[in-house]
Amino acid sequence: MTFRTDRAKVLGLGSAKSGADHWFGERLKSVALIPLTIIFVLIVAPLIGKDHATVIASFQNPFVSISLILFFLVSFKHLEEGLQVVIEDYVHSKGSLLLLIIFNKLFCWTFGLAAVFAILKITFAG
Amino acid sequence: MSKRVKGNRPLSPHLTIYRPQMSSISSILVRITGVSLALGFILIITWLLAASTNVYYFDCINSILTSWFGIIVLIGSVWALCYHSLGGIRHLIWDMGFGFDLKIADRLGWMVIIGSFVLTIFVVYYSGLLL
């Protein structure tokens, strides 16, 4: 005799695998990116074209480092999810679909972590 | 799925059979700008990595970014970011169930297009890159 309910047995077995939480997570990241993008542009736009010392000095402000790390963490995840949807919509062969999804994850994680690494290194090591 | 079901039915992108409309064009542009922002992402992270490495790498990347070619790519990325953000907000409004009225949807589309250029001009001016 099993104590699992009928509902628990079929949970996640539909073609979508999971429920609305994935959809909701995508929207949550989008909404979070509205203020984060504004902060990112306000901080980074004036720094483009400036010399090395000025850029390094601006990262000594913890607000700058933390909000930029937040921006890159949320945006790389948003980029990964967005690119995956585009790949799933337009790539119809199963083999290249799987390859592209894996490559997409590799690409986004690599650059997302590279951004966080660079910001931390500038902040702590100058 | 059997071959019979697969058949010859049209698969996305439906660009060949779908009449271009204000809402469809402004919506697909959100996707196109989103995908191309991957390039802007690489660009800005390369700049950050160079800044974290040393002054020589940084000067190298900086001279590429501030060359005429770099400035065109940067301004393009800024426009893509503005368009994607405004278009994304429009999609969030749609997700909440508002703005499906044709007139409002059209007006929102124009607001996104015009707003993206206005915001781009503002950001470029604010950055002081062209001064």
Side-chain angles (χ1 to χ4, degrees):
Chain A
M1 182 187 161
T2 170
F3 291 101
R4 298 188 69 203
T5 61
D6 289 344
R7 184 180 180 277
K9 282 181 201 159
V10 298
L11 203 66
L13 292 180
S15 59
K17 312 295 181 212
S18 63
D21 48 346
H22 181 254
W23 185 91
F24 187 72
E26 287 175 349
R27 269 73 198 163
L28 205 62
K29 290 179 198 78
S30 309
V31 173
L33 276 172
I34 297 170
L36 286 174
T37 304
I38 294 172
I39 295 172
F40 165 77
V41 169
L42 288 179
I43 291 172
V44 171
L47 288 179
I48 301 290
K50 294 283 186 313
D51 62 292
H52 188 246
T54 313
V55 174
I56 299 297
S58 68
F59 278 83
Q60 301 315 306
N61 179 345
F63 177 79
V64 170
S65 303
I66 293 170
S67 49
L68 283 190
I69 288 174
L70 258 178
F71 168 78
F72 278 108
L73 281 178
V74 181
S75 65
F76 102 86
K77 202 62 195 150
H78 176 87
L79 181 69
E80 188 218 303
E81 288 173 350
L83 285 175
Q84 179 157 340
V85 170
V86 173
I87 293 168
E88 285 166 348
D89 277 359
Y90 302 135
V91 180
H92 299 303
S93 112
K94 272 223 167 105
S96 39
L97 179 69
L98 187 65
L99 265 175
L100 276 171
I101 287 177
I102 293 171
F103 176 76
N104 174 40
K105 283 192 191 302
L106 256 169
F107 164 79
C108 292
W109 275 90
T110 305
F111 276 93
L113 288 184
V116 174
F117 168 80
I119 294 168
L120 288 177
K121 193 173 175 219
I122 296 170
T123 308
F124 292 122
Chain B
M1 283 285 152
S2 67
K3 275 204 174 97
R4 185 168 50 81
V5 177
K6 235 178 162 181
N8 233 349
R9 70 184 201 277
L11 294 166
S12 67
H14 303 288
L15 297 173
T16 47
I17 53 156
Y18 198 85
R19 185 169 64 85
Q21 291 159 74
M22 178 60 195
S23 43
S24 66
I25 295 295
S26 56
S27 173
I28 193 68
L29 266 173
V30 174
R31 269 196 177 192
I32 294 170
T33 51
V35 172
S36 49
L37 274 172
L39 179 71
F41 205 59
I42 295 175
L43 221 65
I44 208 75
I45 291 170
T46 309
W47 176 79
L48 274 172
L49 275 174
S52 78
T53 309
N54 61 44
V55 68
Y56 305 106
Y57 276 117
F58 182 80
D59 286 343
C60 175
I61 297 294
N62 199 28
S63 61
I64 295 172
L65 284 183
T66 49
S67 68
W68 64 268
F69 179 73
I71 290 201
I72 289 175
V73 175
L74 277 176
I75 293 177
S77 299
V78 169
W79 175 75
L81 186 65
C82 295
Y83 189 94
H84 190 79
S85 304
L86 291 176
I89 291 171
R90 187 174 68 140
H91 274 281
L92 286 172
I93 295 172
W94 279 339
D95 285 340
M96 289 187 292
F98 305 111
F100 287 109
D101 191 65
L102 265 184
K103 239 183 171 175
I104 297 174
D106 263 25
R107 198 172 300 162
L108 280 174
W110 282 114
M111 278 163 70
V112 169
I113 291 171
I114 295 166
S116 70
F117 286 106
V118 173
L119 271 182
T120 304
I121 292 168
F122 173 77
V123 172
V124 171
Y125 175 77
Y126 171 78
S127 73
L129 205 58
L130 295 182
L131 299 180

